[in-house]
Amino acid sequence: MLTNFDLTEEQLTIRDTVRRFAREKIAPIAAQLDESQEFPKQTIKELGEMGIFGIGFPEDQGGSGGDALSYILAVEELSRVDGSHGITLAAHCSLGVWPIYAFGTPAQKAKYMPPICSGEYLSSFGLTEPEAGSDAGGTRTTAVLDGDTWVLNGSKQFITNATYAGVLVVTARTDRTAKGSHGISAFLVETNAPGFRLGKKENKLGLRASDTRELIFEDCRIPKDALLGERDRGFPIFMQTLDGGRISIAALALGIGQAALDAAVPYALERRQFGQPIAEFEMIQTYLADMHTELTAARHLTYHAARLKDAKRRHTAESAMAKYFAATVAMRATCLAIQIHGGYGYTKDYPVERYFRDAKLCEIGEGTSEIQRIVIARELLKSFSR
């Protein structure tokens, strides 16, 4: 049901390779992983060996080559089978690897890029705090320079991949007198750093096989050269990181929404009521038409944003639109898929209830849908005031 959207041969090869792996290796275990909340170590390891965790990063930096759209296709195909695998890849590449690649010193990139791109260990992104969610400028975690080390104190929550990360990209306030988003810096924190520990594992509604934990810093000491980018200039780093990360969440939503449609169509053709397949009923056809149309439109938005990123063009509005629309469409598609399945859709015997639970994160993570509207409106108003 997917068209090629003018994909290159390389992009098609990556898409089809990941699709095949997801169907053969992940699909048989996805429901059980969701039930047990078990992190899929084996399949994640295999994806690393395939070079999937280095897609979009140059080979001379330790990556496996390819472009942003190739990476987005990989996230979409994994999510089409299991959202937990999709968000593990998305959080790793977009939020963990990219800021090191984009803002790291040569020494930092030489140290971290090869192992994180190969999947030797994952990377993670620590921004959200108990009092700093949508208001990222509310960061309370602090970093104080003490001789040749930074001392971090504070906590982060809802952090994906934390347990399996070797290095964290973390924000902390380095100028306590600065207001709002000013005076915040970015740091690279190795997970074996003294004073760092993991907090509780979250018991989540969806994406239950992905790892989500609290990060705790208690006089956590890291080297002076662990600063990522300029001191007190960490907030712009994170905003640029989120611009790209939102495209990956759009891809996550696309995959989950497409999975719902993939399940709804054959069910509608097989399920009979009043002597005929329910696919013959006009209302069911309307649901399917809406799902297919909306997912196709969301795919255009998402691929367009990825192509802008590949062209190194500004994509703040386009990323926000892709994420906002794809997340909305995924929730609608999963809801309609359950409706088409009727009572069966409300049981764990069919996967559509899992898709529904997984899709909800897309309206919350990496900026809520409400925040995306603000970003889109601001960019629109800027364009009229130039």
Side-chain angles (χ1 to χ4, degrees), residues 65-101:
D67 53 17
L69 182 52
S70 297
Y71 155 64
I72 289 304
L73 292 166
V75 174
E76 181 182 357
E77 290 301 326
L78 289 177
S79 305
R80 194 174 172 185
V81 169
D82 178 42
S84 292
H85 279 78
I87 198 171
T88 298
L89 176 61
H92 172 80
C93 288
S94 290
L95 304 183
V97 183
W98 189 82
I100 299 175
Y101 167 69

Side-chain angles (χ1 to χ4, degrees), residues 332-354:
R332 177 167 157 80
T334 56
C335 188
L336 288 175
I338 291 176
Q339 196 71 15
I340 289 169
H341 281 69
Y344 291 112
Y346 203 67
T347 72
K348 291 184 180 291
D349 294 333
Y350 289 81
V352 289
E353 65 85 29
R354 171 164 57 91

Side-chain angles (χ1 to χ4, degrees), residues 115-178:
I116 53 181
C117 286
S118 69
E120 179 181 329
Y121 54 76
L122 298 180
S123 55
S124 201
F125 176 85
L127 174 63
T128 303
E129 298 183 6
E131 296 184 39
S134 295
D135 177 17
T139 297
R140 299 291 182 88
T141 297
T142 60
V144 177
L145 189 60
D146 180 22
D148 289 332
T149 62
W150 290 97
V151 182
L152 275 64
N153 282 284
S155 64
K156 304 289 181 178
Q157 67 180 98
F158 308 138
I159 309 304
T160 306
N161 296 341
T163 304
Y164 303 93
V167 63
L168 312 165
V169 182
V170 174
T171 50
R173 190 166 289 281
T174 44
D175 183 352
R176 300 188 192 187
T177 64

Side-chain angles (χ1 to χ4, degrees), residues 44-65 89 92-93 96-98 100-101 109-123 167:
I44 292 298
K45 178 184 177 186
E46 292 178 43
L47 286 168
E49 292 169 349
M50 293 166 59
I52 301 303
F53 286 101
I55 292 181
F57 302 102
E59 294 180 15
D60 62 6
Q61 295 285 325
S64 51
L89 176 61
H92 172 80
C93 288
V97 183
W98 189 82
I100 299 175
Y101 167 69
K109 289 191 274 192
K111 181 177 183 179
Y112 296 116
M113 288 292 289
I116 53 181
C117 286
S118 69
E120 179 181 329
Y121 54 76
L122 298 180
S123 55
V167 63

